[in-house]
Amino acid sequence: MDFGVVMQCNPPASRVVELSVAAENRGFTHVWTFDSHVLWHEPYVIYSQILAATRNIVVGPMVTNPLTRDATVTASTFATLNSMYGNRTVCGIGRGDSAVRVLSGKPSTLSTLRESISLIKELANGRSAVVNETTVRFPWAEKSRLDVYGAGYGPRALEIIGQVADGFILQLADPAVVHWTVGKVRQAAEAAGRDPDSVTIVVAAPAYVGDDVDHQRDQCRWFGGMVGNHVADLVKTYGGDGSGVPTALTDYIENREGYDYNEHGRVGNTHTTFVPDEIVDRFCLLGPAERHVERLQELRDLGVDQFAVYLQHDGKEQTLNAYGENVIPALAPVVAARS
């Protein structure tokens, strides 16, 4: 299992770079960031600095969208980073949440998401693609290699991801929901004639290592509110009776009243009081290191290839150190020096 960290691009940007270097030095392989250009600093500028300051870290957004960023520009940006720093990027993409809604927009259609995934994959891997009935290609990007991962929760989004994406991003760590969503993605991949195991599975959630679980819950409750934005969209589309989406994912937003994007992803978000402790415990990884290892072993058995830690709480260094010293080694394969 690989390990990543997910961060907001809060100023100063140098702090994001500093934490990325610390993550690499503790065994993490990926650095992901939010992509919300009004709320925080521009991530792609920061990626260039992370890549310059590290040796092997792979960087990318969790997640970008097809609306605030034109797909051809997104592809060009990744291909340029690959040209400058080697092929050390990955593109996570979804329909759009904070970056779009802060500007009073609506998430993209699933059709647009599908088209964008395919277009970015072709152009950023040095191949030709049709744009506005014109065949185009980056003549300088023949060596660029980029995987595109789709993020989503609903059945139709999961179907598209299984059909066309290189990977699947699920933003919560509840094993029951992981089992259901991964199954949907793999079924779609197989139906499309793809090897289901070729789709990389990434689970991302806040993780906080320590003994004061009540404090950790308060520090991570914002995540249930953020996920609730997407769940509310699902309930509008599929209903909340479990016929389209498991009630394990939808029931908890019954008392949700709204969401303030000025507090998006922030500890102490005042619009997350509806999120019960049970959801925080299911969606996040809390408690001592051994409890994290147990949950991660369960997720790995469900087919998860990477766990990405949302590093948005007051125990950043503490959690990075605990993962580097105790969690990541516990999940690493044992290789003997002699046989």
Side-chain angles (χ1 to χ4, degrees):
M1 178 181 279
D2 287 334
F3 289 86
V5 293
V6 188
M7 293 181 280
Q8 291 174 337
C9 295
N10 287 310
S14 57
R15 175 62 167 159
V16 182
V17 178
E18 177 185 35
L19 288 169
S20 299
V21 172
E24 180 177 55
N25 289 335
R26 285 155 182 78
F28 290 83
T29 60
H30 290 69
V31 169
W32 305 86
T33 73
F34 284 54
D35 177 8
S36 199
H37 60 291
V38 175
L39 295 176
W40 306 295
H41 280 178
E42 170 59 34
Y44 293 95
V45 176
I46 299 173
Y47 295 159
S48 68
Q49 295 302 300
I50 294 172
L51 291 168
T54 57
R55 303 174 301 279
N56 299 298
I57 280 288
V58 175
V59 300
M62 190 178 284
V63 293
T64 192
N65 70 84
L67 299 179
T68 58
R69 298 189 188 275
D70 178 84
T72 62
V73 177
T74 296
S76 179
T77 301
F78 280 110
T80 300
L81 289 171
N82 286 341
S83 177
M84 293 177 67
Y85 299 105
N87 292 316
R88 294 167 55 198
T89 64
V90 61
C91 178
I93 188 169
R95 294 176 58 213
D97 184 27
S98 63
V100 176
R101 285 175 161 139
V102 163
L103 299 172
S104 299
K106 295 181 180 180
S108 77
T109 65
L110 288 171
S111 175
T112 297
L113 176 62
R114 181 191 184 108
E115 292 170 2
S116 297
I117 290 173
S118 298
L119 180 59
I120 294 168
K121 281 180 62 174
E122 294 307 301
L123 292 177
N125 283 286
R127 299 188 291 264
S128 299
V130 177
V131 181
N132 296 329
E133 300 182 353
T134 300
T135 300
V136 298
R137 182 176 183 176
F138 301 150
W140 44 269
E142 68 277 0
K143 294 183 180 179
S144 175
R145 296 295 178 267
L146 177 75
D147 284 342
V148 181
Y149 296 0
Y153 299 91
R156 284 186 287 173
L158 299 175
E159 181 180 22
I160 288 171
I161 291 167
Q163 290 170 344
V164 301
D166 298 302
F168 165 51
I169 295 171
L170 176 65
Q171 290 161 302
L172 57 82
D174 180 356
V177 179
V178 170
H179 175 73
W180 180 79
T181 54
V182 170
K184 290 290 185 182
V185 169
R186 287 182 167 164
Q187 289 171 14
E190 187 171 18
R194 305 177 67 194
D195 178 2
D197 293 331
S198 69
V199 182
T200 301
I201 307 298
V202 179
V203 163
Y208 195 143
V209 179
D211 296 321
D212 189 348
V213 176
D214 287 337
H215 176 72
Q216 293 172 15
R217 286 174 178 147
D218 289 341
Q219 289 284 304
C220 298
R221 200 174 306 276
W222 62 265
F223 184 69
M226 186 186 79
V227 173
N229 295 330
H230 304 290
V231 173
D233 288 342
L234 294 180
V235 171
K236 289 179 183 178
T237 302
Y238 298 99
D241 59 0
S243 59
V245 180
T247 56
L249 181 58
T250 60
D251 277 355
Y252 85 99
I253 69 162
E254 181 179 358
N255 296 318
R256 177 181 182 269
E257 296 180 351
Y259 193 81
D260 184 354
Y261 279 93
N262 287 310
E263 298 181 322
H264 185 57
R266 291 186 181 179
V267 173
N269 186 324
T270 59
H271 293 76
T272 60
T273 54
F274 71 94
V275 180
D277 288 349
E278 177 209 357
I279 288 295
V280 181
D281 292 346
R282 281 172 42 203
F283 284 12
C284 306
L285 272 68
L286 309 176
E290 55 267 25
R291 191 178 300 174
H292 291 242
V293 172
E294 290 174 2
R295 176 78 71 85
L296 290 166
Q297 288 173 332
E298 185 176 2
L299 294 177
R300 183 178 60 182
D301 291 342
L302 291 171
V304 175
D305 300 297
Q306 180 188 150
F307 177 67
V309 176
Y310 273 94
L311 205 61
Q312 289 159 237
H313 49 61
D314 63 3
K316 295 179 178 64
E317 285 82 1
Q318 173 185 335
T319 295
L320 281 178
N321 289 336
Y323 263 68
E325 292 293 328
N326 301 306
V327 178
I328 294 176
L331 275 295
V334 177
V335 179
R338 293 183 60 179
S339 57

